[in-house]
Amino acid sequence: MKFADLHLHTNFSDGTYTPEELTGRAVELGLAAVALTDHDTVEGCARMEAACARAGLEFLPATELTAEVEGNELHLLGYFVDTANPRLLAEMTRFQQVRQNRVREMVARLNQFDIPLQADAVFALANCRSPGRPHVARALVMGGFCSSLDEAFERFLKKHRPAWVPKFKMSGLDAIELIHQAEGLAVMAHPGLNHADEIIPALVRAGLDGLECFHTKHTPSASERYLRLAQELGLLITGGSDCHGLSKGKPLIGTVKVPYEYVEQLKAAIARRKSNASAARSALRTAP
Ligand code: AMP
Ligand code: ZN
Ligand code: FE
Ligand code: FE
């Protein structure tokens, strides 16, 4: 059997591995295909694609966008997006700016709690354009202010804790449209973590293409439930480990194994989309 891991992060967002290191781990694990889904960026895709090509491993370019629907935070995976798409890149630049400002605001709140952390220390440690709470957590641990990442989240960074800062998010419907105009497939990430299954039908009406049925934090019964839902709604099925590297001990890559047939279904869906688009273009050209 061939397997894939379609949810992975590198140090271009809040993972710890470089694209080359992540590819090396995928090769050691014997995976057939991997997708890079860094938060609000596609910057790591070119290096990961090159590393996968050298290693003979199939690569799917992707990203994980933060969005919201009716007050629920929602993560949308965009598979096979064109990583040079101008609108996608422009919107991501905006999200990255929001993330950087949010880090400054979180640090300012920590300073009010007499924690003398500096924003520049977080940015130096993050060393990427798309920093997030995990980087602030790592800086708190490295500075000796917390003894673990869990403690940093529990004491300061979780929702409604003292240094938590709400993040501007685009609407889920706009995120689906952004992924589509960048020629990608829009997939709702880890629905089992959102506890908001009631929003799924509206997302489907907006063109949602798939559901991430397999995820590290899904119980077997949650995976079953989402597999059934995907089948009922005619959605594609994806899954992955959501590996962030070595930040929490053992890396998760390869611990969620997605049968390769689901990758084939994603590729078939993209091929259909492209052939429909080109048929529509030629119909327009031949119209009187
Ligand atoms: P952000 O995008 O800045 O809001 O950060 C979200 C990221 O923080 C998620 O992708 C997780 O990787 C990580 N995260 C969220 N909650 C926790 C937690 N309790 N402990 C460790 N990491 C967490
Ligand atoms: Zn993350
Ligand atoms: Fe996520
Ligand atoms: Fe993720």
Side-chain angles (χ1 to χ4, degrees), residues 213-215 217-227:
C213 299
F214 306 104
H215 185 271
K217 294 203 171 143
H218 282 181
T219 60
S221 76
S223 293
E224 284 296 322
R225 185 166 81 251
Y226 291 114
L227 280 169

Side-chain angles (χ1 to χ4, degrees), residues 64-251:
E64 181 173 18
L65 298 179
T66 309
E68 88 183 310
V69 171
E70 293 166 13
N72 296 298
E73 180 162 328
L74 179 71
H75 292 181
L76 282 163
L77 300 161
Y79 289 105
F80 293 111
V81 284
D82 170 8
T83 57
N85 179 267
R87 230 187 92 202
L88 181 68
L89 294 178
E91 290 291 325
M92 284 179 161
T93 300
R94 211 158 61 87
F95 301 148
Q96 292 161 11
Q97 200 63 53
V98 167
R99 284 178 168 277
Q100 290 162 23
N101 292 340
R102 183 175 180 235
V103 166
R104 287 193 190 89
E105 179 71 16
M106 286 191 280
V107 168
R109 293 196 190 185
L110 286 164
N111 294 162
Q112 284 170 5
F113 274 75
D114 290 330
I115 296 200
L117 187 66
Q118 296 197 338
D120 284 345
V122 180
F123 292 130
L125 176 152
N127 192 28
C128 71
R129 291 191 179 87
S130 204
R133 284 180 294 163
H135 296 114
V136 180
R138 284 175 214 159
L140 283 168
V141 172
M142 280 181 66
F145 304 114
C146 292
S147 60
S148 69
L149 297 176
D150 277 338
E151 185 194 326
F153 271 89
E154 282 302 322
R155 276 177 62 199
F156 298 114
L157 302 171
K158 259 172 67 166
K159 194 168 183 179
H160 304 313
R161 293 292 198 272
W164 175 73
V165 176
K167 183 166 59 179
F168 159 81
K169 303 180 215 49
M170 76 186 320
S171 89
L173 307 195
D174 289 347
I176 290 172
E177 198 272 324
L178 182 62
I179 290 167
H180 282 168
Q181 68 79 43
E183 296 166 45
L185 297 168
V187 173
M188 182 180 180
H190 43 66
L193 297 189
N194 292 87
H195 309 291
D197 290 1
E198 66 280 3
I199 66 175
I200 294 175
L203 295 174
V204 172
R205 285 194 294 279
L208 186 73
D209 298 291
L211 266 191
E212 187 176 53
C213 299
F214 306 104
H215 185 271
T216 307
K217 294 203 171 143
H218 282 181
T219 60
S221 76
S223 293
E224 284 296 322
R225 185 166 81 251
Y226 291 114
L227 280 169
R228 274 198 307 276
L229 193 59
Q231 270 147 13
E232 275 165 34
L233 296 170
L235 293 172
L236 294 161
I237 290 159
T238 74
S241 63
D242 211 351
C243 176
H244 282 74
L246 292 167
S247 56
K248 277 194 175 180
K250 200 175 167 304

Side-chain angles (χ1 to χ4, degrees), residues 6 8 19 22-23 32-37 42 44-53 56-62 80 83 267:
L6 302 179
L8 299 165
L22 188 61
T23 303
V34 286
L36 181 58
T37 56
V42 289
C45 286
R47 272 174 53 186
M48 184 101 172
E49 182 171 22
C52 285
L57 184 63
E58 188 169 348
F59 176 69
L60 285 65
F80 293 111
T83 57
K267 290 197 288 187

